[in-house]
Amino acid sequence: MHMIESGNVAAATGVKLARANVIAAYPITPQTPLTEKLSEFVAAGELAAEYIPVESEHSAMAVCIAASSAGARAFTATSANGLLYMNEQLHWAAGARLPIVMCVANRGIGAPWTVWNDHQDTISQRDGGWIQIYANDHQQIIDSVIKAFYLAQTVSIPVMVCYDGYILSHTYMPFEKPDQDQVDAFLPPFTPENMLDPDRPYNFNTVTLPDVRPDIHGQTAPGYMEIRHCLHQDMRGSIQVLEEIDKKFQAAFGRGGHPFVEPYKCEDADHVVVCMGSLSYHFRDVIDLLSQEGLKIGVMGVQLYRPFPEKAIVEALYQKKSIMVFEKALSYGNQGALYADIKSALYPCENRPEMKNFILGLGGREIKTSILVETVRNAVKHTAASDDHPMWVGLKCQE
Amino acid sequence: MKPEKIEIRWHGRGGQGAITAAKIVAHTGFESGYKGIVMAPTFGTERRGAPIFTSLKISRQKIYDLSPIDTPDMVVVLDHTLLEEVDVAAGLKPGGLMIINTPRPAEEYHFAGMKVAVADVTHLAQEAGLPSGVVNSGIIGAFSKATGLLDIDDLVREIENEFKDKKPEKNAAAARLVYEKTRLGGAL
């Protein structure tokens, strides 16, 4: 059946369909309506989960870590400074290989204080060992949440489902709500190999020595570095796993097919715009307008950001004349993170495309189709190599 | 409906139910074959009584641009006193339509090159049995009459659904009464 609801309700509905067992969250704009909805589901008896209100985001993640360690399907959600407050626990969750799923309604980071959208919060968490998926609309939010639980428990790595605060979290649009029976058939139960169990005591994640050592059975037990290498290998392997899960999802629900990147009019294009989240859909209108002017141009949304799907990205981009990366975040003093990642992926290619980086929409600065059209039109005209510093789109005064 | 995308901006006060009114139109639009629906409330700080607006875009195709409406085809004003505080006609397309809840006649409103529709929704809703100040169901009647975009019966069904726990019959009656009493004026 279809629903017309906000992105936050789409996310909450996905969590309900996935039958999360434990939800712990602290409210923060623009995530709040998501956790409110989940608490309503629990209070009404529609979701048989333990809803644990906490006093901070750090505690929210700590509860999820404990719940997941005990074999529960755990969920939380946050935004911006709330995500940063979790930071230490985020790294712990990934290192402990706990399949927690978290939604992040993307919001700019203070100071100065802002409640509006950009991607700096989740981009600043890209190196923590979490899988990151960016949704472009409400259908992708609800579908990604369901797939995220499957992916997380298959590879034992936590997954962040990121969607634009306000632009998606508070905007209403239609989406298909999958049937509970179908989700139950699609998503296997969570049965962890190791979990906290009073009948089978274990130590988890105690001090791990720099070198390997024999364990009580005389086998060589991994040191810290081997365990971390394993996390990296499994992150890389999760690209393949996501592709398989997406195929199963497509077979069951008829949606999906683009688990890594979602191209639009890219095949014959000379120029390709790359971005993440709802902006990549907004750009479709821009591409249509520029196509009418005779430009051979497309847009590609990156949906899986960590692990980085280089293969899919290189395949889509290596023969293009120019790539324009539009980002709502940057590594201050350097470039946009996505830009740097794409440049690095294309480095081994012959005839590398010319590349330009644009920063826009920080702290909710409005992004208008007309400005995007003008920016891209000018960028395509001026083919001289840029100085590799990002250009800022939509600045209205400069200090 | 001729244009590819209809853009409707709703002006109200925080707590007045402009979002609910836009939601009812959004649901009815979807059920009537408009698969592209995007409704975006004011982002950020909403306070009871303060002016707010909601953007509603309706199209036969999926809508990709989620940014607020700059050049609406129609503007719906839930409270005529907003006209003294907010430039409700900002960006309204030439020949566009202004729908106002007001006790004053359409002739008293002049928006150059625009059509105007008025109804005393506040009064009519009370006549239909609703408490004073409930205007978000009634205004739907004015919307249906003035735009002809969506059928009043379909809208009323959605009103009954939306208000199923809050006097559905009276909210439906308010919409039907306002539909009958809506007057059109301006440059037709």
Side-chain angles (χ1 to χ4, degrees), chain A residues 2 137 170 172 174 281 368-369, chain B residues 31 39 41 62 64-65 70:
Chain A
H2 86 271
D137 66 6
H170 282 58
Y172 289 67
Y281 271 2
K368 285 182 189 294
T369 304
Chain B
E31 295 298 342
M39 194 192 93
K62 182 173 171 66
Y64 290 114
D65 175 1
D70 287 330

Side-chain angles (χ1 to χ4, degrees), chain B residues 29-75:
Chain B
F30 187 84
E31 295 298 342
S32 307
Y34 297 98
K35 297 303 172 195
I37 300 279
V38 169
M39 194 192 93
T42 324
F43 296 155
T45 45
E46 288 171 23
R47 289 162 296 127
R48 193 159 281 270
I52 58 121
F53 71 89
T54 295
S55 291
L56 175 63
K57 303 179 188 181
I58 298 179
S59 168
R60 295 280 181 198
Q61 274 90 40
K62 182 173 171 66
I63 295 169
Y64 290 114
D65 175 1
L66 308 182
S67 58
I69 294 170
D70 287 330
T71 55
D73 299 280
M74 304 165 187
V75 171

Side-chain angles (χ1 to χ4, degrees), chain B residues 6 10 24 45 49 57 89 98 109 112 126 138 146 149 153-154 182:
Chain B
I6 298 273
W10 301 71
I24 289 164
T45 45
K57 303 179 188 181
M98 181 77 73
Y109 294 96
Q126 275 180 275
L149 195 63
D153 293 331
D154 296 337
T182 297

Side-chain angles (χ1 to χ4, degrees), chain A residues 230-283:
Chain A
C230 186
L231 171 60
H232 178 66
Q233 292 293 100
D234 289 348
M235 272 289 259
R236 300 303 307 163
S238 64
I239 295 176
Q240 174 78 31
V241 175
L242 176 60
E243 188 168 28
E244 286 156 15
I245 289 172
D246 183 72
K247 274 193 190 131
K248 280 185 197 163
F249 189 89
Q250 206 178 8
F253 300 98
R255 293 186 299 274
H258 299 286
F260 312 134
V261 295
E262 196 179 4
Y264 177 72
K265 294 191 175 173
C266 286
E267 210 152 286
D268 304 320
D270 293 331
H271 311 279
V272 173
V273 169
V274 183
C275 49
M276 296 204 289
S278 62
L279 182 61
S280 66
Y281 271 2
H282 188 172
F283 251 110

